[in-house]
Amino acid sequence: MYTIGYDFGDTLIQLKQLQFAVRLFTENNVYAPDPDKVTVSKEANLVSLKADGLSWAGNQEKADGKIEVEITVEKDGRYVVHAKGSHSTERCKSMLVQVLGINLQSIQFDQNKKEVIERNSYKRDIKAKHYPTSMKMPLVFVEDQANNKWFALSKDDKLRLKGFASHYDPYLQTQILDLSHEEDKRFRSNEIVMPPWHIGFTQNENEIILERCNDLEQNFGLVPFHQRKDTPEWLKDIKLVTILHGEHWTGHVFNTFSDMEKRLEWITNEIDGKEVLVFLPGWDGRYYNNYPEYEPSKRMGGEEGLKSFVNRAHELGVRVVPMLGANNANIETMRKLGLEDAVTRDSWGLEKRCDWVDWDYDLSTENNCMLANMGHPGFLQHMIDKSNYLVETIGVDGIFLDISIFWANDPHYSPYEGLVKWAQEMKKHHPDLLLFGENSYDVLWGVFSIFHELGYPAGHGHALYRYCRQTHYLAYPAPGMGSGGIHEFAWNQSGLPWEREVPELIPTLSVVSDTIDKNGHGTKYLIHKARNWNQVYPGVTGYQE
C-alpha cells in the first residue's frame, strides 16, 4: 500500500454523517482543490464544491484547473457522488474519492473474498484491488466497527478501471475508504468526468448486487441464462465436462487423438454421450509453446486424427470444445505472422508478457510469449480465421478462450471490445456454437455462456450463475495421483476430486494417460456422481427449476 507521507491538504466536505474529499490525477501529478479558490454550497440533502484552481504538494504549489463535486443523499439514504476535473496543460488520468466516517474494519471485494483490519494489529490498510483486473464487479461491501454493512458501487456504463482500498490517515486520525476511477487511455484529455459512485448503508446485499445486474442488463446487454438466444440448447443437457489432456509444453503426450477415442468410448459406456462435453487442451502441439499457430498436433495424429476423434465423439452424442488462447502468443510466431505489433500495452505503453509460468521447472519463468490484444484488427482476424477452421473443417461444437479475463487500459485497442467482436462474428456464422471462457469479470458474462474459474466465487451473490454456467478449472486433478495434466498446477490443485463438493459447478473429469487404465474405480465414481447431478441456482440467479 503506497500512501503520501505528508498532509496532502484535501478539502473535506460533509453531508449528514460522512465526509468526502476528491483528488484529481493527471499523467504527471496529483492535485487537490485549491483551498483559496473553493466555493461550497449546502442544502438539506446536497452539498457541492467548486474549485477554480488546483493545489499540489500539500498546497505548496498551485496550478490552473478545476475540480467540481456534487454529493446528494437519496430517499433510501445512499450518497451519490459526482465529480469532474480539468487541468490547463496536463492530460487527466483518474479521480479518487475518499470517504470518511464509516469507521471501516473490512472490505469484501468478491464472494468470500474479504480483508479485515484487526483492531489490535499494526496493519492500517487494505491494499487496492481493481475491477476488472482482480475483481468481478465494480462493487464492494464494507463493514464498520459496529458490524453495519455499507456498499460502494460504481455506476459506470462503460468498462473502465476502478480501484478500491482503505488507508489510515494520521493527520485526520481516521480510516478512509478509497474509490478510484481511471479514464480509458484512448480517450484522455485535459478534462475528466467521473461516473457516479453510490455509497450507502444496506441491510440487504442482494438488492445491491441485483442493482449491478440491472446495470449490466441495461448498459451491456446481458441477458439471464434461461432467456439467452446465443447459447446452444444442448448445454442444458451437459452433466460432465471431460478434460482430455493432449501435449504438455515440454512435449509429453498424455493422449493421442486415437487414445482419446478409446477413452471416450469407455466414458460413454458409463454416461449418456449427450450429457458429456469434451474439453481439449493441448490438441495443437506443445501446450502454450506454439500459440497462436493452432494446427493439430502431428504427434497426436494431425488433422485427420483430430477429425476422426470429433466424428467419433459426435457418433457417441458428445460435444467437443478445443482450447485457444484469447491473448497468449509466442513472440517468434507472431513475428512470422506479421503481428508483433498486436502486443497489449498498459496505459503507460509498456508491453505485457505472459511471464508467470515456469513451464519446464528450471525455477525460472518462460517469458517468450506476449499477451496479444484481441482488439488489434490483425490479431482479431487471425483468431476468427482459426476459430472458423476448427468449426468448419474439424467440426467442433465450441471454442474455449484461455485468459479471457485479461484486460489492460491499452492506448490503442480494448481487449474487451475485441472479445465482443470475436463473439459476434462467431455467432453470426455459427449460431449454435458454444463460447467458453476462463475466469471472468461481470461484463464478460454476456460474451461467454460458460466459464471455468480458478476458485469458486462467481461474483457477489454468485451473480455469474444468473447469466452463465461454470465448471471446474483446467487444473482439476485426475483420479489417481491427482495430475493436473498439461496445466502448470501439476498436482492436486485445491485438493482431491472427492474433496471438492461444489454443487453449482458442472462435474469435471480430467483424463491423463493412466486415468482409466489404472484408476477406473475412481473414474466411475466421478461419472456416476455426474449422472445424478442437477444444476443448482445459488444467490441472485433468480431462477428455480
Side-chain angles (χ1 to χ4, degrees):
M1 188 74 175
Y2 303 101
T3 51
I4 291 174
Y6 58 87
D7 184 357
F8 192 74
D10 294 295
T11 298
L12 300 179
I13 53 176
Q14 183 151 0
L15 184 60
K16 305 292 185 180
Q17 73 181 87
L18 298 185
Q19 291 180 302
F20 300 84
V22 173
R23 296 179 185 177
L24 169 68
F25 299 79
T26 70
E27 293 180 346
N28 184 59
N29 210 337
V30 52
Y31 300 91
D34 182 348
D36 298 324
K37 295 184 178 181
V38 164
T39 302
V40 176
S41 302
K42 196 168 185 180
E43 301 175 17
N45 293 308
L46 182 150
V47 63
S48 62
L49 174 151
K50 184 176 181 181
D52 290 324
L54 306 174
S55 75
W56 53 285
N59 204 29
Q60 292 177 350
E61 299 289 342
K62 309 286 187 175
D64 292 331
K66 293 183 179 182
I67 291 177
E68 296 183 21
V69 184
E70 181 181 278
I71 305 170
T72 58
V73 174
E74 303 295 302
K75 290 182 179 179
D76 64 355
R78 73 175 60 190
Y79 295 80
V80 178
V81 182
H82 294 263
K84 60 183 179 180
S86 63
H87 192 284
S88 60
T89 60
E90 297 173 6
R91 290 209 304 173
C92 296
K93 175 170 68 79
S94 55
M95 296 194 82
L96 176 73
V97 175
Q98 298 180 95
V99 186
L100 297 77
I102 292 180
N103 201 14
L104 178 152
Q105 73 168 352
S106 71
I107 300 177
Q108 183 174 323
F109 293 98
D110 206 340
Q111 186 78 21
N112 301 324
K113 291 186 177 180
K114 179 178 175 181
E115 295 196 20
V116 179
I117 297 173
E118 302 293 344
R119 294 189 182 187
N120 298 321
S121 171
Y122 68 90
K123 176 184 174 184
R124 288 185 168 188
D125 62 65
I126 295 176
K127 292 180 172 56
K129 288 185 173 52
H130 298 88
Y131 169 84
T133 56
S134 59
M135 296 170 59
K136 296 191 184 304
M137 308 175 90
L139 166 65
V140 295
F141 290 101
V142 172
E143 198 170 55
D144 65 22
Q145 296 289 349
N147 298 320
N148 297 311
K149 282 287 182 72
W150 295 73
F151 70 91
L153 169 65
S154 171
K155 303 292 279 189
D156 199 346
D157 61 2
K158 300 179 178 63
L159 180 66
R160 291 180 285 192
L161 193 73
K162 302 294 179 286
F164 302 82
S166 178
H167 77 280
Y168 183 82
D169 189 306
Y171 293 94
L172 299 173
Q173 296 188 8
T174 189
Q175 198 72 35
I176 294 177
L177 173 64
D178 299 305
L179 308 169
S180 72
H181 160 75
E182 183 174 310
E183 182 55 272
D184 190 320
K185 176 69 173 186
R186 297 172 295 169
F187 307 121
R188 289 183 188 169
S189 69
N190 297 95
E191 299 180 337
I192 184 171
V193 177
M194 184 187 74
W197 285 99
H198 286 218
I199 303 153
F201 172 76
T202 182
Q203 292 181 314
N204 188 336
E205 291 184 11
N206 282 352
E207 286 184 356
I208 306 304
I209 298 164
L210 286 169
E211 186 174 333
R212 173 56 183 172
C213 291
N214 184 62
D215 292 346
L216 289 169
E217 290 161 25
Q218 288 192 352
N219 300 324
F220 297 93
L222 269 68
V223 176
F225 183 80
H226 290 277
Q227 300 171 28
R228 290 182 71 157
K229 304 299 184 185
D230 64 336
T231 299
E233 283 294 316
W234 56 259
L235 179 60
K236 297 174 184 177
D237 296 327
I238 299 302
K239 292 192 171 188
L240 179 68
V241 173
T242 299
I243 305 173
L244 294 180
H245 291 276
E247 190 171 339
H248 191 272
W249 188 94
T250 58
H252 177 81
V253 174
F254 287 100
N255 294 286
T256 66
F257 296 129
S258 178
D259 293 333
M260 291 179 181
E261 289 189 38
K262 296 171 186 174
R263 314 291 189 222
L264 202 53
E265 288 167 355
W266 187 92
I267 290 167
T268 53
N269 279 329
E270 304 294 328
I271 186 172
D272 190 331
K274 73 176 184 180
E275 296 178 337
V276 179
L277 184 155
V278 166
F279 174 44
L280 295 183
W283 60 274
D284 57 322
R286 292 174 59 191
Y287 178 64
Y288 260 73
N289 186 271
N290 300 332
Y291 284 15
E293 289 181 350
Y294 302 134
E295 298 290 339
S297 167
K298 292 181 180 179
R299 295 178 62 216
M300 291 172 59
E303 183 178 288
E304 292 307 312
L306 180 55
K307 281 183 182 178
S308 174
F309 167 73
V310 172
N311 289 337
R312 183 63 180 134
H314 289 166
E315 290 172 359
L316 296 168
V318 175
R319 305 290 179 165
V320 180
V321 179
M323 177 177 183
L324 306 180
N327 36 57
N328 183 276
N330 185 292
I331 294 170
E332 290 302 318
T333 300
M334 292 294 276
R335 285 174 182 157
K336 292 175 185 176
L337 294 170
L339 292 174
E340 60 268 35
D341 64 337
V343 62
T344 305
R345 298 177 183 274
D346 67 14
S347 62
W348 297 102
L350 298 177
E351 295 185 359
K352 305 295 288 184
R353 291 279 187 270
C354 184
D355 57 2
W356 55 83
V357 182
D358 176 11
W359 287 109
D360 55 7
Y361 196 60
D362 67 348
L363 310 189
S364 297
T365 57
E366 273 61 59
N367 297 342
N368 64 324
C369 287
M370 68 169 67
L371 288 165
N373 192 328
M374 188 78 93
H376 181 279
F379 184 62
L380 173 60
Q381 189 59 53
H382 177 79
M383 294 299 292
I384 290 170
D385 291 344
K386 289 297 181 179
S387 301
N388 281 334
Y389 159 75
L390 285 164
V391 178
E392 295 165 5
T393 302
I394 305 300
V396 302
D397 304 286
I399 300 291
F400 173 92
L401 290 187
D402 201 34
I403 324 183
S404 51
I405 191 176
F406 173 74
W407 180 87
N409 197 356
D410 191 293
H412 305 294
Y413 309 104
S414 163
Y416 163 71
E417 291 173 10
L419 285 173
V420 170
K421 290 177 182 177
W422 172 84
Q424 289 172 339
E425 189 68 16
M426 289 297 98
K427 286 297 183 177
K428 176 181 175 182
H429 297 288
H430 314 292
D432 202 37
L433 190 71
L434 179 67
L435 304 185
F436 191 162
E438 186 231 11
N439 292 324
S440 67
Y441 46 86
D442 57 8
V443 299
L444 287 183
W445 301 339
V447 178
F448 300 93
S449 296
I450 182 172
F451 287 90
H452 73 206
E453 302 264 347
L454 183 57
Y456 304 127
H460 292 291
H462 296 87
L464 176 147
Y465 300 107
R466 182 178 176 88
Y467 305 102
C468 305
R469 293 291 170 264
Q470 184 179 340
T471 185
H472 288 281
Y473 197 64
L474 172 57
Y476 191 77
M481 298 289 286
S483 171
I486 53 84
H487 197 271
E488 60 267 29
F489 295 148
W491 300 105
N492 290 334
Q493 174 64 15
S494 299
L496 295 170
W498 48 87
E499 297 173 333
R500 298 175 66 178
E501 298 288 349
V502 186
E504 60 266 23
L505 270 64
I506 300 174
T508 301
L509 169 65
S510 294
V511 178
V512 294
S513 304
D514 61 358
T515 300
I516 292 173
D517 296 338
K518 291 186 178 180
N519 300 285
H521 179 74
T523 305
K524 284 185 178 183
Y525 170 76
L526 288 178
I527 294 173
H528 291 175
K529 282 180 63 178
R531 278 185 1 205
N532 298 313
W533 176 83
N534 288 299
Q535 181 68 58
V536 173
Y537 300 94
V540 297
T541 51
Y543 183 84
Q544 298 295 327
E545 292 285 7

